[in-house]
Amino acid sequence: MIHPFTQEHEELRNVIRQFLQKEIVPHVERWEAEQKVPREILRKMGSLGYFGLNIAEEYGGSGDNPLAEAVLHEEIGRINASGFANTVGVHVGIAMRPVYKFGTEEQKRRYVVPGVQGEKIGALAITEPGAGSDVASIRTRAVRDGDHYILSGNKIFITNGVYADFYVVAARTRPEGGHKGLSLFIVDRDTPGFQIQRKLEKVGLHSSDTAELFFDDCRIPASQRLGEENQGFYLIMQNFQWERLMIALQTLGTAQAVLDMAVEYAKTRQQFGGPLTQFQVIRHRLVDMAVEVAKARHLTYHALDLFARGIDCVTETSMAKLVATEAAYLVADMAVQIHGGYGYMQEYPVQRAWRDMRVTRIYAGTNEIMKEIIAKRMELLP
Ligand SMILES: Cc1cc2nc3c(=O)[nH]c(=O)nc-3n(C[C@H](O)[C@H](O)[C@H](O)COP(=O)(O)OP(=O)(O)OC[C@H]3O[C@@H](n4cnc5c(N)ncnc54)[C@H](O)[C@@H]3O)c2cc1C
């Protein structure tokens, strides 16, 4: 199997693992109940350098190193705290990332430097009530007015949407032109006309806050535009590669954690005079789960290796997202079954994985869209 990590990455993995066990795991249930990840812990992670693993030193990071950030995402997945994983992943991997990659020097100083320190937290706002998979049909408008733009419209399902400090927002700068008429903007939380319309209640990922946003003639300086006008769609698509890899890594970590829980439970739970593993059907189910995790690991590490070496990996990234998220949900579902009635009780963490993994097949591009991307790459479209 391709193992893209060096000895240094494995040492980092150990440090992160210890940090997560000490500082995160004991608080997960409380954060889920409070429906919030406390800001202090995000600041602490920032101060320890965990948000700058793939950011140049001049912006407070430890250097451009996607494999180091990959270790962070996989290990966060491994503790089965996907609400927390979502909060961190969206900030580091999908909101701060485009500012770092496509932003001006001033934008990087204003958002990336405090973002790396955990002083400012970001969100990425693309989805709208009428535009989900079909990103090109976004209707939020940004109309140029001198050296400003006026934003109007709304966004839905935005992770970190309730508590973020800055929002990277996709808006239409050309009425016609579909995907060729979109641009990205950075909107500060306190901008007049910008409203966090409502906090959304979800089936899982309870500690991750999700919001509907509203832009009511929200006036922002033209210097807040990210990248060239009408190039937003291409920037979003570029950023999707890392986002999808990140989701694959997180869900791979969770699938492995859930498999371990199920093995442990099946070995210790006694029924009919022996452990559950005395039954061939249970043993085979555990083997099926191990095969799913192995498939996810192979594809994810392969895509990550290509990505880290700068090789085109749209197909592999889409496959990794598809396979890892399907595997994680299947493994979580089987783990609940192996736990019997206990698996359905709140006090057993397998139920949380089962609720949390369901959405990974939907966000960051649905798995049907992953298949469409792969089909296009296979030149199957008429
Ligand atoms: C918890 C959560 C967090 C999220 N966080 C964010 C965020 O931070 N920022 C953000 O911008 N968005 C976010 N999203 C939105 C997410 O990316 C969208 O929900 C997703 O892209 C799907 O869009 P939709 O929900 O409108 O579904 P639709 O696009 O309406 O799709 C409905 C169904 O039709 C299928 N479908 C659609 N088009 C096709 C096609 N061409 N071929 C085959 N099948 C198709 C889909 O696969 C799906 O099964 C989040 C969503 C959730 C649930």
Side-chain angles (χ1 to χ4, degrees), residues 124-127 132-133 157-159 202 359 362-364 366 368-369:
L124 179 75
I126 297 175
T127 307
S133 302
F157 305 146
I158 307 309
T159 301
K202 305 186 296 303
V359 75
I362 296 171
Y363 63 26
T366 68
E368 290 77 17
I369 294 298

Side-chain angles (χ1 to χ4, degrees), residues 86 90 94 123-135 155-161 168 202 204-205 208 210 240 243 359 361-369 372:
N86 221 34
V90 165
I94 75 168
L124 179 75
I126 297 175
T127 307
E128 300 181 354
S133 302
D134 186 8
V135 173
K155 299 283 175 184
I156 197 161
F157 305 146
I158 307 309
T159 301
N160 293 351
V168 176
K202 305 186 296 303
L205 303 176
S208 162
T210 312
F240 266 152
E243 176 176 356
V359 75
R361 295 160 62 200
I362 296 171
Y363 63 26
T366 68
N367 284 0
E368 290 77 17
I369 294 298
E372 281 301 289

Side-chain angles (χ1 to χ4, degrees), residues 47-66:
S47 70
L48 291 170
Y50 293 136
F51 293 166
L53 295 170
N54 192 19
I55 303 267
E57 286 178 20
E58 57 186 304
Y59 302 108
S62 47
D64 297 298
N65 191 339

Side-chain angles (χ1 to χ4, degrees), residues 330-345:
L330 195 69
V331 167
D333 189 49
M334 287 181 177
V336 169
Q337 193 68 18
I338 287 174
H339 278 73
Y342 297 97
Y344 203 66
M345 296 297 125

